[in-house]
Amino acid sequence: MATGYSVVLVRHAQSEFNRDKIYTGWCDSDLTSDGVEEAKNAGKILCEYGFEFDLAFTSVLKRAIKTLYFIQDELDCHWIPVTKTWLLNERHSGKLQGRSKVEVLEQYGQEQVHRWNHALHEQPPPLAETDEHWNGNDKRYAGLPFAPVGESLQQTLQRSLQFWHNLVVPALKAGQKPLICGHGCYLRNLLKHLDSNCSTGKKQLETPNAAPFVLHLDSDMRPANLQFLNRHGNDIVLFKRSRDS
C-alpha cells in the first residue's frame, strides 16, 4: 500500500470499572486480571505483524499506562521513549464518574443519557470539589487550563486534536513510528473528525478493549484506511477513503 504514514492505536485493556459497568472518566481504575491478558495479547498481535516502534504515547491513567507496559513487554521495547499526557485521557464524565451506568440510566432516563453520550456539545452534570472523585488537587493535573468538572465531546475532541497535531504529526513527519495507547473516546473522536474524508460503513466505530488498529495516512496526513488487527494475520479493513474525496 502506497500510503505515506501509519500509526498504531490501542485502547486500554479491561479495567475494573469496565467490568463493573461504571462510568470511569478520569477515575484511575486499574486493570483486571483479564485486562492484563488482553494487553499481553495485543502485544502478541503486534509482534506477529512485525511492528516495531520508535516512541509511544499514553494518558496519565494507569489502565492505559499498564496496557502499554504489557504491550512493550511482548515487543521487548521498554527502551523506547514514552510520553504520558492528560490530553490522551478519557473524556471527563463529570458527576457521573464512579457511578453505576445502570443507576445513572434509572435516574436520568435513556434520552438524557443518550444526549450525554452522543451530542457534541452536551456536558454531563459538573463534578463538585467535594466529590470523592474530584481531580482538581491531583498533581497530575497541576496547571490544567480548566477546572476538571466534566467535558462535552467537543471539548474532548479539541484536546485530542491538539495532541494529534502537536505530538503525533511531527513524529510521523520525522520518520518515526509511534504507538498510541489511550482510550476509546480518543480513537472515536479522531476518526469522527476525519470522517468527511472517510467512509466507515457504519455510524459509530466500535473500539474494543486492547484491540490494535492501524491508521494509514497519505502524504498529506489524510486517512487512507483503518485496519483492525487480529491474531494470525486476519486483519479487517474498517474503512477506506472514498476516491472522490
Side-chain angles (χ1 to χ4, degrees), residues 4 18 34 48-49 95 114 119 129 134 150 161 180 199 214 228 236:
N18 290 151
D34 286 345
E48 284 184 8
Y49 278 82
K95 189 179 178 180
H114 185 272
E129 292 187 27
W134 172 251
L161 293 176
I180 299 174
S199 176
V214 186
F228 169 55
I236 302 169

Side-chain angles (χ1 to χ4, degrees), residues 158-178:
Q158 287 174 346
R159 62 174 168 86
S160 297
L161 293 176
Q162 181 183 344
F163 163 77
W164 177 259
H165 290 297
N166 292 349
L167 295 174
V168 181
V169 170
L172 290 171
K173 288 184 175 180
Q176 295 178 306
K177 300 174 182 178

Side-chain angles (χ1 to χ4, degrees), residues 164-196:
W164 177 259
H165 290 297
N166 292 349
L167 295 174
V168 181
V169 170
L172 290 171
K173 288 184 175 180
Q176 295 178 306
K177 300 174 182 178
L179 168 62
I180 299 174
C181 186
H183 303 262
C185 197
Y186 171 75
L187 182 56
R188 290 191 298 271
N189 269 339
L190 177 63
L191 295 175
K192 186 174 182 179
H193 174 73
L194 300 171
D195 193 53
S196 60

Side-chain angles (χ1 to χ4, degrees), residues 23-42:
Y23 280 97
T24 313
W26 288 16
C27 293
D28 210 6
S29 181
D30 208 344
L31 296 182
T32 62
S33 57
D34 286 345
V36 171
E37 293 307 312
E38 288 175 350
K40 291 179 179 179
N41 185 61

Side-chain angles (χ1 to χ4, degrees), residues 210-226:
F213 293 86
V214 186
L215 179 61
H216 297 278
L217 305 133
D218 66 17
S219 58
D220 295 319
M221 290 293 169
R222 298 187 306 165
N225 70 41
L226 181 73

Side-chain angles (χ1 to χ4, degrees), residues 64-83:
I65 294 169
K66 289 189 176 182
T67 299
L68 175 60
Y69 177 90
F70 288 116
I71 290 173
Q72 288 179 280
D73 226 20
E74 295 296 330
L75 293 170
D76 192 23
C77 68
H78 281 295
W79 58 271
I80 65 173
V82 176
T83 297

